[in-house]
C-alpha cells in the first residue's frame, strides 16, 4: 500500500548551498532513469540498480549515473536583465536507441541533451601519434588499420540542440508531443511550438498578450500536450481555468475548444480568493481521459468530457485557510506545488508544508499524509502517516498548525511510470521511496 513506503536515498548532491536546491524532478518513460535539475543549472541523472541474485533487495536503489552543467547564468544586455541558470523543467523523450535524450529549460533557453555510454575508443591512427599530435606525412612508411580498444565505461552528456530567443517572458513549462517530433515551451503569455530538429524557428500557437498591458487579467501558468492525441494541448491560467485547444482547428489556438472552470462559491469569497485559485500545475492522466489541476489548497480531477465542474476535489491542506493572511505576508501563498499521477491513474500525489506530501486514492477515497525528512527517515524504514491537529486537544504524534515549518515544502515530485516508486524533492535533499519490500 502507498502508506507503507521504504526510504532509500537520503541526500544525493553536493554541499548545502542555495544553488543545490532541487527545482525539478522527472522519471524517464521506462522509470530506469531519474533526472533532477537545481538552481545552479546542473542536471543530475540517477540510474536504477539492477537486481542481482546475491542482493535482490538492491533493485529499486538509484545511484548517480551522470552529472552535467545544463545552463549557465547569462545577461540580457538589451534589457539589462540577469538570466539565472535555474532549471525550471526537465522532460524526457521516449528512448529510440541506446542513447537517452532529455529537454531542459531555464527562464529563456531550452536545450536538448543526449546522454550516451562509451566503453571503447579508437587507436592506431595513421596521421596522429599516440599522444594525439599530428604526424609528418613524409615519415609515414606504412598504413595501419585503426582498431577499437576497450576502456572504462564513460557516460557523456552532449547538447545536441539549443532553442533560444523565442520567449520574452519566463518559461514555466515544456511538454513533448506524442508525435515525438515537436514540443511546446510556455511562458506567462505565449505558447510556442518547436520541431525538435529546428532551432531557429518556432510557431506561436497561443498568445494572450493584450494590445494594452493594462488590460491584462491573467497569465498562463502551465501547459501540457495530451499523451495520445498529438493535436490536443491544455494550458492553465492564474484565474483558475484550463483551456483545451485543438491545433487542427486553426494555426493560432487563441480560441479554445473546451473551457474548464469551477464556479466560485460567493460565500467563501475573500481578498485571497483570486490568488489561491491560480493553478500551479496541470497533468493529463496516462489514459488521456482525465486532467488534474493543482491550486494552492486543492487538487481537482476533471473529466475531459465534462467542463462544468471537476469529478473529484481533494483538500490538500484546508487547515491553512485560516492562515492565508500570514501566508500572504511571508509570500508562501505564491508557492507553486506540482501534482503527479501514479502509473495506473488510481492515486495522485502532491506536496505540502513541513516536508509533508499527500496521497489520495481515487478508488478507496482514502488519503494519507507522509513526511520526507532526514530526522524520521532511515534507509528501509517504514514511513508512518502524519496528522495535523486542527483545534481541540492534540494527540500524540499529531502536529499543530502553528508548529508547521513553512520554509520546508515539497514543491517537486515524480512517480515511476509503472511501479510504486516516488521521488520527492525537499530543498536540496532528494528522497526516493517505494512500496515496502517483503
Amino acid at each position: 500500500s502507498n502508506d507503507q513506503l521504504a526510504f532509500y536515498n537520503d541526500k544525493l548532491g553536493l554541499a548545502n548551498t542555495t544553488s543545490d536546491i532541487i527545482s525539478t524532478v522527472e522519471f524517464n518513460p521506462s522509470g530506469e532513469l531519474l533526472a533532477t535539475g537545481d538552481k545552479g543549472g546542473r542536471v543530475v541523472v540517477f540510474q536504477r540498480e539492477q537486481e542481482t541474485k546475491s542482493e535482490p533487495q538492491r533493485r529499486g536503489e538509484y545511484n548517480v549515473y551522470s552529472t552535467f552543467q545544463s545552463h549557465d547564468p547569462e545577461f540580457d544586455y538589451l534589457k539589462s536583465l540577469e538570466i539565472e541558470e535555474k532549471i525550471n523543467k526537465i522532460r524526457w523523450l521516449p528512448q529510440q536507441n541506446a542513447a537517452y535524450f532529455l529537454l531542459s529549460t531555464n527562464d529563456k533557453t531550452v536545450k536538448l541533451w543526449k546522454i550516451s555510454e562509451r566503453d571503447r575508443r579508437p587507436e592506431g591512427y595513421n596521421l596522429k601519434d599516440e599522444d594525439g599530435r599530428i604526424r609528418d606525412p613524409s615519415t609515414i612508411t606504412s598504413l595501419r588499420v585503426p582498431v577499437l580498444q576497450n576502456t572504462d565505461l564513460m557516460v557523456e552528456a552532449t547538447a545536441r540542440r539549443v532553442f533560444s530567443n523565442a520567449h520574452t517572458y519566463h518559461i514555466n513549462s515544456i511538454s513533448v508531443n506524442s508525435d515525438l517530433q515537436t514540443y511546446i515551451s510556455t511562458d506567462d503569455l505565449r505558447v510556442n511550438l518547436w520541431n525538435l530538429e529546428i532551432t531557429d524557428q518556432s510557431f506561436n500557437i497561443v498568445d494572450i498578450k493584450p494590445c494594452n498591458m493594462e488590460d491584462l487579467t491573467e497569465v498562463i501558468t502551465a501547459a501540457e500536450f495530451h499523451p495520445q492525441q498529438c493535436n490536443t494541448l491544455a494550458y492553465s491560467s492564474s484565474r483558475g481555468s484550463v483551456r483545451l485547444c485543438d491545433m487542427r482547428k486553426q494555426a493560432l489556438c487563441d480560441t479554445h475548444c473546451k473551457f474548464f472552470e469551477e464556479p466560485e462559491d460567493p460565500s467563501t469569497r475573500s481578498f485571497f480568493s483570486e490568488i489561491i485559485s491560480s493553478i500551479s500545475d496541470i497533468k493529463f492522466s496516462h489514459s488521456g481521459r482525465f486532467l488534474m489541476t493543482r491550486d494552492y489548497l486543492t487538487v481537482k480531477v476533471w473529466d475531459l468530457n465534462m467542463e462544468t465542474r471537476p469529478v473529484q476535489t481533494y483538500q490538500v491542506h484546508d487547515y491553512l485557510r485560516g492562515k492565508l493572511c500570514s501566508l500572504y505576508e511571508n509570500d508562501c501563498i505564491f508557492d507553486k506545488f506540482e501534482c503527479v499521477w501514479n502509473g495506473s491513474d488510481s492515486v495522485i500525489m502532491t506536496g505540502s508544508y513541513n516536508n509533508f506530501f499527500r496521497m489520495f486514492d481515487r478508488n478507496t477515497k482514502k488519503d494519507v499524509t507522509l513526511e520526507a525528512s532526514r530526522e524520521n527517515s532511515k534507509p528501509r524504514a517504514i514511513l508512518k502517516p502524519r496528522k495535523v491537529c486542527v483545534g481541540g486537544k492534540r494527540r500524540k504524534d499529531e502536529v499543530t498548525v502553528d508548529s508547521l515549518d513553512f520554509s520546508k515544502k515539497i514543491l517537486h515530485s515524480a512517480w515511476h511510470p509503472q511501479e510504486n516508486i516516488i521521488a520527492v524533492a525537499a530543498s536540496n535533499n532528494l528522497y526516493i521511496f517505494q512500496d515496502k519490500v517483503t
Side-chain angles (χ1 to χ4, degrees), residues 416-431:
H416 190 288
Q418 284 99 33
E419 300 178 40
N420 281 336
I421 298 176
I422 60 170
V424 175
S427 185
N428 63 331
N429 297 308
L430 177 67
Y431 298 89

mmCIF file of all heavy atoms in Angstrom, residues 416-431:
data_model
loop_
_atom_site.group_PDB
_atom_site.id
_atom_site.type_symbol
_atom_site.label_atom_id
_atom_site.label_comp_id
_atom_site.label_asym_id
_atom_site.label_seq_id
_atom_site.Cartn_x
_atom_site.Cartn_y
_atom_site.Cartn_z
ATOM 1 N N HIS A 416 7.173 6.909 -10.507
ATOM 2 C CA HIS A 416 7.631 5.938 -11.502
ATOM 3 C C HIS A 416 6.463 5.557 -12.412
ATOM 4 O O HIS A 416 5.346 5.343 -11.945
ATOM 5 C CB HIS A 416 8.173 4.696 -10.781
ATOM 6 C CG HIS A 416 8.877 3.721 -11.651
ATOM 7 N ND1 HIS A 416 8.221 2.909 -12.558
ATOM 8 C CD2 HIS A 416 10.201 3.399 -11.764
ATOM 9 C CE1 HIS A 416 9.101 2.135 -13.170
ATOM 10 N NE2 HIS A 416 10.305 2.412 -12.707
ATOM 11 N N PRO A 417 6.683 5.478 -13.743
ATOM 12 C CA PRO A 417 5.559 5.242 -14.653
ATOM 13 C C PRO A 417 4.870 3.890 -14.513
ATOM 14 O O PRO A 417 3.702 3.749 -14.907
ATOM 15 C CB PRO A 417 6.185 5.385 -16.048
ATOM 16 C CG PRO A 417 7.651 5.388 -15.855
ATOM 17 C CD PRO A 417 7.931 5.763 -14.450
ATOM 18 N N GLN A 418 5.557 2.890 -13.947
ATOM 19 C CA GLN A 418 4.922 1.574 -13.804
ATOM 20 C C GLN A 418 4.804 1.092 -12.361
ATOM 21 O O GLN A 418 3.856 0.404 -12.015
ATOM 22 C CB GLN A 418 5.707 0.506 -14.583
ATOM 23 C CG GLN A 418 5.514 0.526 -16.080
ATOM 24 C CD GLN A 418 6.642 1.243 -16.793
ATOM 25 O OE1 GLN A 418 7.794 1.194 -16.348
ATOM 26 N NE2 GLN A 418 6.335 1.925 -17.880
ATOM 27 N N GLU A 419 5.753 1.457 -11.519
ATOM 28 C CA GLU A 419 5.802 0.893 -10.168
ATOM 29 C C GLU A 419 5.532 1.955 -9.115
ATOM 30 O O GLU A 419 5.537 3.152 -9.405
ATOM 31 C CB GLU A 419 7.188 0.256 -9.934
ATOM 32 C CG GLU A 419 7.506 -0.864 -10.908
ATOM 33 C CD GLU A 419 8.907 -1.415 -10.669
ATOM 34 O OE1 GLU A 419 9.292 -1.559 -9.487
ATOM 35 O OE2 GLU A 419 9.619 -1.686 -11.656
ATOM 36 N N ASN A 420 5.307 1.477 -7.893
ATOM 37 C CA ASN A 420 5.087 2.398 -6.783
ATOM 38 C C ASN A 420 6.420 2.852 -6.199
ATOM 39 O O ASN A 420 6.806 2.484 -5.080
ATOM 40 C CB ASN A 420 4.209 1.754 -5.699
ATOM 41 C CG ASN A 420 2.750 1.789 -6.092
ATOM 42 O OD1 ASN A 420 2.320 2.623 -6.890
ATOM 43 N ND2 ASN A 420 1.960 0.876 -5.547
ATOM 44 N N ILE A 421 7.123 3.630 -6.982
ATOM 45 C CA ILE A 421 8.366 4.277 -6.547
ATOM 46 C C ILE A 421 8.171 5.771 -6.785
ATOM 47 O O ILE A 421 7.751 6.183 -7.863
ATOM 48 C CB ILE A 421 9.583 3.770 -7.344
ATOM 49 C CG1 ILE A 421 9.790 2.271 -7.121
ATOM 50 C CG2 ILE A 421 10.837 4.540 -6.958
ATOM 51 C CD1 ILE A 421 10.917 1.676 -7.953
ATOM 52 N N ILE A 422 8.434 6.560 -5.764
ATOM 53 C CA ILE A 422 8.257 8.011 -5.894
ATOM 54 C C ILE A 422 9.548 8.726 -5.536
ATOM 55 O O ILE A 422 10.351 8.234 -4.745
ATOM 56 C CB ILE A 422 7.099 8.529 -5.009
ATOM 57 C CG1 ILE A 422 7.366 8.220 -3.531
ATOM 58 C CG2 ILE A 422 5.763 7.971 -5.466
ATOM 59 C CD1 ILE A 422 6.397 8.894 -2.580
ATOM 60 N N ALA A 423 9.747 9.871 -6.164
ATOM 61 C CA ALA A 423 10.890 10.738 -5.859
ATOM 62 C C ALA A 423 10.330 12.063 -5.365
ATOM 63 O O ALA A 423 9.459 12.655 -6.011
ATOM 64 C CB ALA A 423 11.752 10.947 -7.092
ATOM 65 N N VAL A 424 10.817 12.520 -4.234
ATOM 66 C CA VAL A 424 10.313 13.734 -3.601
ATOM 67 C C VAL A 424 11.493 14.650 -3.301
ATOM 68 O O VAL A 424 12.468 14.226 -2.671
ATOM 69 C CB VAL A 424 9.564 13.380 -2.291
ATOM 70 C CG1 VAL A 424 9.135 14.633 -1.564
ATOM 71 C CG2 VAL A 424 8.352 12.501 -2.582
ATOM 72 N N ALA A 425 11.403 15.890 -3.762
ATOM 73 C CA ALA A 425 12.476 16.852 -3.527
ATOM 74 C C ALA A 425 12.088 17.773 -2.376
ATOM 75 O O ALA A 425 11.023 18.384 -2.393
ATOM 76 C CB ALA A 425 12.742 17.673 -4.778
ATOM 77 N N ALA A 426 12.954 17.843 -1.385
ATOM 78 C CA ALA A 426 12.759 18.749 -0.248
ATOM 79 C C ALA A 426 14.013 19.596 -0.127
ATOM 80 O O ALA A 426 15.047 19.122 0.349
ATOM 81 C CB ALA A 426 12.512 17.966 1.040
ATOM 82 N N SER A 427 13.932 20.833 -0.613
ATOM 83 C CA SER A 427 15.088 21.728 -0.641
ATOM 84 C C SER A 427 16.214 21.079 -1.454
ATOM 85 O O SER A 427 16.024 20.762 -2.618
ATOM 86 C CB SER A 427 15.534 22.073 0.781
ATOM 87 O OG SER A 427 16.581 23.019 0.749
ATOM 88 N N ASN A 428 17.381 20.833 -0.840
ATOM 89 C CA ASN A 428 18.477 20.220 -1.594
ATOM 90 C C ASN A 428 18.604 18.723 -1.309
ATOM 91 O O ASN A 428 19.622 18.104 -1.585
ATOM 92 C CB ASN A 428 19.800 20.925 -1.283
ATOM 93 C CG ASN A 428 20.172 20.785 0.173
ATOM 94 O OD1 ASN A 428 19.307 20.675 1.029
ATOM 95 N ND2 ASN A 428 21.458 20.797 0.472
ATOM 96 N N ASN A 429 17.557 18.120 -0.749
ATOM 97 C CA ASN A 429 17.529 16.681 -0.490
ATOM 98 C C ASN A 429 16.582 15.999 -1.454
ATOM 99 O O ASN A 429 15.486 16.502 -1.721
ATOM 100 C CB ASN A 429 17.061 16.388 0.944
ATOM 101 C CG ASN A 429 18.008 16.945 1.978
ATOM 102 O OD1 ASN A 429 19.200 16.691 1.922
ATOM 103 N ND2 ASN A 429 17.482 17.723 2.905
ATOM 104 N N LEU A 430 17.003 14.847 -1.981
ATOM 105 C CA LEU A 430 16.134 14.031 -2.824
ATOM 106 C C LEU A 430 15.841 12.738 -2.083
ATOM 107 O O LEU A 430 16.760 12.017 -1.700
ATOM 108 C CB LEU A 430 16.807 13.723 -4.161
ATOM 109 C CG LEU A 430 16.012 12.812 -5.096
ATOM 110 C CD1 LEU A 430 14.740 13.498 -5.575
ATOM 111 C CD2 LEU A 430 16.852 12.389 -6.291
ATOM 112 N N TYR A 431 14.569 12.464 -1.873
ATOM 113 C CA TYR A 431 14.133 11.241 -1.204
ATOM 114 C C TYR A 431 13.478 10.325 -2.224
ATOM 115 O O TYR A 431 12.668 10.764 -3.040
ATOM 116 C CB TYR A 431 13.139 11.550 -0.087
ATOM 117 C CG TYR A 431 13.705 12.407 1.012
ATOM 118 C CD1 TYR A 431 13.651 13.795 0.937
ATOM 119 C CD2 TYR A 431 14.311 11.826 2.123
ATOM 120 C CE1 TYR A 431 14.183 14.587 1.949
ATOM 121 C CE2 TYR A 431 14.847 12.611 3.136
ATOM 122 C CZ TYR A 431 14.776 13.995 3.042
ATOM 123 O OH TYR A 431 15.309 14.776 4.029
#
